[in-house]
Amino acid sequence: MAWFAVTSLMRTVELEFLFPEPRVLGHTEAAEALHGRLHELVDFLEKSENQFNADDVRMQDWKARLKGVALRIEDEIESKVINLYSGRQSRSTIAESFHSTLVYAIGELTKCVKEDLQVNDIVSSRERIESSSSSSSHPTALELQSTMVGRTAELEHIKRLLLEDKSTETLVAPIVGMAGIGKTTFARSLYQDPVVKSHFDVLAWATVSTSATYDRCRMLRELLLCIHPKQKEFIHQVKDDHLPDLVRKWLVGRRYLIVLDDIWDSNHWEEIKRSFPEDCNGSRILLTSRHDEVAVYARSYNYCFVNVPFLNSEESWNLFLQKIHPTRLLSEVEAIWRHIVSYFRGLPFATVIAAGLARAINESLWISKEIEGIFYERLCSDLVEGISKILILSYNNLPNFLKICFLYLGIFPESSAIHVKKLIQLWIAEGFVKVEGERSLEEVAEDFLKDLVSRSLVLIDKISMDGKIKTCKVHDIVHDFCKRKAMEEGLLRVVDGHFGHLHTYRWVSIETMNVSLDHISKKSRSIFSFCHDGVNRSIGLASFKKLRVLDLSNLCFKWNLFFTNGGVDLVLLRYLALRIYSSGYLKMLKLKETFINLQTLLFLVDKERRVSYFTTHVFEIWRMPMLRHLQFNPVFMFDTPSVVLKYLQTIYWLRPSQCTKKVFLGIQNVKVMGIFIPERKKEFVRDEYSLTEDSSDDDLKQKPHINSLTEKWWDDLICLQKLEKLKLNSDCDDPIILPHASAFPVQLRMLTLKGSLPPRDAMEVVGMLPNLEVLKLKFGACKGQHWKLSGGGFPKLKSLLIQGMKLKQWTATDNAFPILERLIIKHCVHLEKIPSTFVELYTLQLIELHGCHSLLVHSAEQIQQQQEELFGYNWLLVHHYNTTHQVATIIEVKKQVKRGKFDEQEHEKLKCKVSDPESSYFARQVQEEEDSKLSNVEFFNCFEDDFDNNDIN
């Protein structure tokens, strides 16, 4: 792609020559001239992008020449930057070579600008279909989600099989249909149904995939992560041959629903099914497959089977309208689109892709019979080929900046959930995103993603509590398109054991370690590892001098692989994500001072989930002026900023002793921050005046914890005027006293408290925060069993999460939470009633209860009923996930066991239910209170969730 090559060169010139603190000095005038030429070319490429110019030979030849020139110039500039730090040439010699390279580049690109005048007539030869997305507002993540259309009878049939069938044996129900028919959507609608979820003790989903990519161990780990999502580290460390038995062990005695998506081979089913116990308790297994023979082989009975039908014409049209909402079709073009939708004969995926195309195109242009003819020319009678043609049409219709972002999705493994924050950070590091006015790069990139979602090229997987997309996915067919198109463009190579020799590709995605990396081009700019393969593995990165993105967060390394004098010196890095096996007794860590271009630095620790007795001090962080996102495990502690990092937006984790005015002024533009307060007896308090990178071990003195370090952490918080999200995570046994609301930055809109134990009255302070929209209270977030809001509060709060609290009573006045939309309560087992004032909250849309008392469920349902009577509509949804029947059973069983009236084997089965932290917090608490077997730390370790110290999502 010529546009990508020119844009990439522009970003390199900006970083090395033009930014406020450039690495290469003395060439500003020549660099600005080169940047100006590049800007002209980018403008031309964006204006000349024609949806149907693939056969314009002159234009394509010119773009190919331009791409080659831009890549050659960028390669030469980066080689000279590497030489600048190698010490093999004098600085005067390198300075002269930089100048000659810039002059040469200006000359070559000037020729290209002159050539574009000769091909410019090509642009006006055909009318360009403009994208309307650039001027339209982007819908929210919630608006972009959709529901399944049609298949009502089939859905009810399987739902009855799951919930009402009297058979207690484990039934297997295949869902069969062609690619794109909606099998996964059908299964997901059942899997996510609140009634279905409350019926089963545990639900688990895994993607099996084709014979070529089938990986039983990966699939079993997916199931285990669904069963025990908080045991991620343990699951990845389990030996492969132990996985089947572990799945079986964790399912024994529990009513389970398993979904195996996209199974292609009967032998795979025969191999997998051995992991599922038969306890005659009504468990169910759903399979989705494209092959009837697999379904017939696996199904339990003839009636345990659904062949997903095509949509009828009305259902297809309704699906099309749902996907283009809120766009309204002009009456002149509705007939055209109805005809197009009918062409796909009820295949949902093709209809959805066509809707994405319709949403992106100016509708008035479709009145043209010529353009309508071109559309039909691109489609053939074969529906499979038709889908591919539609994808090509959708791809060609994307603006250049979205094309490259779309193809980039091919680096991720098929069917994987992609964390949006990570994706955005990668797009920025690769140089796909440019500044637009006052908006941040992250905000611009988020709109890129929303645009792809609105075109139905990307699917929403999960939405965060603030309404933003948390994780996304791409359909297998779309993923295959992205991967193959990126490979055709010479951008991507996937190392998965099924491809031949590896040539020059900018992006390398490693999905298996069974292939030697010796043949990967040393000119590769990005390397990703998506395989979990042991500890302390070396893959010879020292040879990859031109890397700008390195993500090895799924592998474990020794700490000194990158950060010693003999470590890897990658001077062009912009994104670095590593997972260290253990910091051990390492007391000091000095990062490479050559990491000047680094924008995102993620440094995780695999073994230590909590801060050990030893703290590792990190130096040289503040010599990275381009840093935007910084995440370290709490075992590491940063030194004091020596300069202002004006681009820094995210930082995890600071200690109370670092929450000073000097530190905050160095990160004054930060938007997301986490503060970690370790146990007092374990913290090493750093003497900021005597401890430096040259300090001896004697300088690291263990000091008694000074109260002011934890009680005064907020004194200078007001310096962070742009702070929007704050997480406070405490392992300290003593309460953290919250300051007055005026001490918090006025822009704060999301606050998470965990283990901070302030008095319940402190919630009055939180309620006064003027712009707080999301509040999460987790596991000891505050003390006391009665939360009484005596006055109004939380004026802008939209989402409230209360999790793992010993709350018994909750009362609020009628002017509290005036615009609350979502209330989520998890594992608050003593709470029996939601404040009655919630009846009058007409904004309330959802109450979601997990593992709560049945009286609390009844209270929520009463509010729902009273709201319907009061407002005349059923706006409020109440979802509850049933664990109270388990708790009652366990309590009764315990009593019977003590009386000698209950079979010990049955008791062991029921105890398996207790072991799941998601399904029965109450059962755990009952076991703790009655048997006193769990310590406080062990108890809270059972409920590590999205507040994992390694997690920033």
Side-chain angles (χ1 to χ4, degrees), residues 172 204-210 214-223 243-245 247-248 251 256 258-277 285-288 294 297-298:
V172 180
W205 181 298
T207 302
V208 183
S209 200
T210 65
Y214 171 70
D215 184 343
R216 185 187 66 148
C217 294
R218 172 197 54 77
M219 186 272 303
L220 291 174
R221 283 192 169 92
E222 285 185 22
L223 293 176
L243 290 171
D245 291 336
V247 172
R248 186 177 187 85
L251 290 177
Y256 57 82
I258 303 293
V259 178
L260 299 176
D261 189 32
D262 199 23
I263 186 167
W264 288 62
D265 195 315
S266 300
N267 292 328
H268 295 165
W269 164 244
E270 194 65 29
E271 185 179 39
I272 297 167
K273 72 176 185 179
R274 300 167 187 167
S275 297
F276 306 133
I285 300 173
L286 297 180
L287 310 179
T288 74
V294 175
Y297 180 86

Side-chain angles (χ1 to χ4, degrees), residues 311-322 324 329 333-339 341-342 351:
L311 301 176
N312 61 38
S313 57
E314 196 58 32
E315 290 170 342
S316 296
W317 184 244
N318 288 339
L319 176 61
F320 180 84
L321 292 179
Q322 180 194 89
I324 66 169
L329 291 176
V333 300
E334 181 173 332
I336 295 174
W337 280 111
R338 277 189 176 273
H339 189 52
V341 170
S342 67
T351 303

Side-chain angles (χ1 to χ4, degrees), residues 664 673 675 713-720 723 726 743-745:
F664 288 160
M673 184 172 70
I675 299 174
W713 59 267
W714 63 81
D715 277 359
D716 300 300
L717 199 61
I718 197 67
C719 297
L720 303 176
L723 188 67
L726 174 63
F744 291 91

Side-chain angles (χ1 to χ4, degrees), residues 107-121:
E108 289 296 298
L109 292 172
T110 300
K111 293 178 185 178
C112 292
V113 171
K114 291 179 178 178
E115 287 179 14
D116 75 35
L117 298 176
Q118 300 173 18
V119 298
N120 196 33
D121 59 317

Side-chain angles (χ1 to χ4, degrees), residues 224-239:
L224 289 170
L225 286 170
C226 291
I227 300 169
H228 278 306
K230 313 315 173 191
Q231 300 293 325
K232 182 177 180 180
E233 293 178 13
F234 168 73
I235 290 168
H236 286 308
Q237 292 170 5
V238 175
K239 293 181 178 179

Side-chain angles (χ1 to χ4, degrees), residues 415-467:
S415 303
S416 64
I418 304 168
H419 282 274
V420 168
K421 289 180 181 178
K422 177 176 182 176
L423 179 63
I424 285 175
Q425 290 165 7
L426 288 170
W427 281 350
I428 293 171
E430 295 283 6
F432 303 160
V433 188
K434 64 179 181 180
V435 176
E436 293 183 2
E438 298 298 319
R439 305 177 72 213
S440 69
L441 292 174
E442 286 76 11
E443 290 170 334
V444 175
E446 188 177 358
D447 278 352
F448 287 2
L449 179 64
K450 288 181 179 179
D451 202 335
L452 291 173
V453 171
S454 70
R455 297 168 187 260
S456 300
L457 295 173
V458 174
L459 308 174
I460 294 175
D461 183 48
K462 292 181 181 178
I463 295 178
S464 61
M465 285 190 68
D466 60 353

Side-chain angles (χ1 to χ4, degrees), residues 34-64:
L34 174 57
H35 192 270
R37 280 284 179 260
L38 293 169
H39 195 276
E40 290 177 18
L41 288 166
V42 169
D43 281 348
F44 173 76
L45 288 170
E46 290 178 347
K47 291 176 181 177
S48 67
E49 190 64 24
N50 190 315
Q51 178 156 3
F52 304 112
N53 67 358
D55 298 326
D56 294 330
V57 178
R58 290 173 63 195
M59 174 67 82
Q60 297 307 316
D61 287 346
W62 177 78
K63 287 183 176 180

